[in-house]
Amino acid sequence: DVVLTQTPPTLSATIGQSVSISCRSSQSLLHSNGNTYLNWLLQRPGQPPQLLIYLVSRLESGVPNRFSGSGSGTDFTLKISGVEAEDLGVYYCVQSTHAPPTFGSGTKLEIK
Amino acid sequence: AVQLVESGGGLVQPKESLKISCAASGFTFSNAAMYWVRQAPGKGLEWVARIRTKPNNYATYYADSVKGRFTISRDDSKSMVYLQMDNLKTEDTAMYYCRSATDYWGQGVMVTVSS
């Protein structure tokens, strides 16, 4: 199975600070159809995961544009440009290029 | 809007069975592979089972941890996906989420296996 390694495991940020989360894959996530099926999810406390970014860099409808995704192959990054209080929670990367789908171990964002 | 609503969770004893359900709406269900993903208390996300679409013969796949004990199924006429869980173990205790192939998630249903 594909292993996704997320760093850092925890992140402490002040309101307005910009932060980045890394997700590295044990295999290239480029599918033979040309798509890269790497998504980013946010799980707020007591809530289910919600989709933020799909196909590496596409913003899900309704998600603020302070969230952005980038990367290719095996290295991917989620950036939050100007953290807000509502952004606290655990961020996961998830890949669906290779079966079975696998998840990163999560990055917990805390607000200072 | 896409909506996934799980039901059927609860408290069961080890070796017992339980069937959980997920009602889908807001998208063309019959065209979508569907998943069950679980999250043990305080832990990360673990894929459990996947079912593909009719053109793919409703092929099913399972995590090694549940293979032979869990069965995923779907009813496209009702836009429902199910997870039959047999011979439950204490380590199956978790929140179970229904997930679409496009990464929409339900609210989850809690399954507790305890004597």
Side-chain angles (χ1 to χ4, degrees), chain A residues 39 41 43 46-51 60 92 94 96 99-101 103-105, chain B residues 35 37 39 43-47 50 97 99 101-108:
Chain A
N39 297 349
L41 312 173
Q43 186 173 31
Q47 295 295 313
Q50 68 169 100
L51 180 63
E60 171 65 5
Y92 294 95
V94 52
S96 301
F103 300 88
S105 53
Chain B
Y35 301 78
V37 177
Q39 186 172 37
K43 301 296 185 181
L45 300 167
E46 178 191 19
W47 165 79
R50 171 194 181 200
Y97 295 103
R99 170 190 182 253
T102 48
D103 247 332
Y104 292 105
W105 297 66
Q107 288 293 316

Side-chain angles (χ1 to χ4, degrees), chain B:
Chain B
V2 172
Q3 202 168 14
L4 299 169
V5 180
E6 300 93 337
S7 61
L11 172 64
V12 296
Q13 296 192 344
K15 300 186 180 181
E16 289 188 341
S17 298
L18 192 66
K19 186 173 185 177
I20 57 177
S21 304
C22 171
S25 61
F27 62 105
T28 307
F29 180 80
S30 59
N31 290 349
M34 295 296 296
Y35 301 78
W36 286 99
V37 177
R38 69 184 180 184
Q39 186 172 37
K43 301 296 185 181
L45 300 167
E46 178 191 19
W47 165 79
V48 171
R50 171 194 181 200
I51 186 165
R52 299 185 71 180
T53 58
K54 184 176 181 180
N56 294 292
N57 299 313
Y58 298 120
T60 58
Y61 308 85
Y62 300 93
D64 288 343
S65 56
V66 307
K67 200 172 294 183
R69 300 188 298 120
F70 288 13
T71 303
I72 187 172
S73 61
R74 64 190 295 161
D75 185 337
D76 289 347
S77 68
K78 297 180 180 178
S79 296
M80 296 287 295
V81 61
Y82 307 97
L83 187 67
Q84 174 69 44
M85 301 180 288
D86 298 321
N87 190 21
L88 281 158
K89 304 177 180 181
T90 55
E91 53 263 41
D92 295 319
T93 294
M95 184 72 79
Y96 284 73
Y97 295 103
C98 177
R99 170 190 182 253
S100 74
T102 48
D103 247 332
Y104 292 105
W105 297 66
Q107 288 293 316
V109 62
M110 188 67 200
V111 173
T112 304
V113 185
S114 175
S115 54

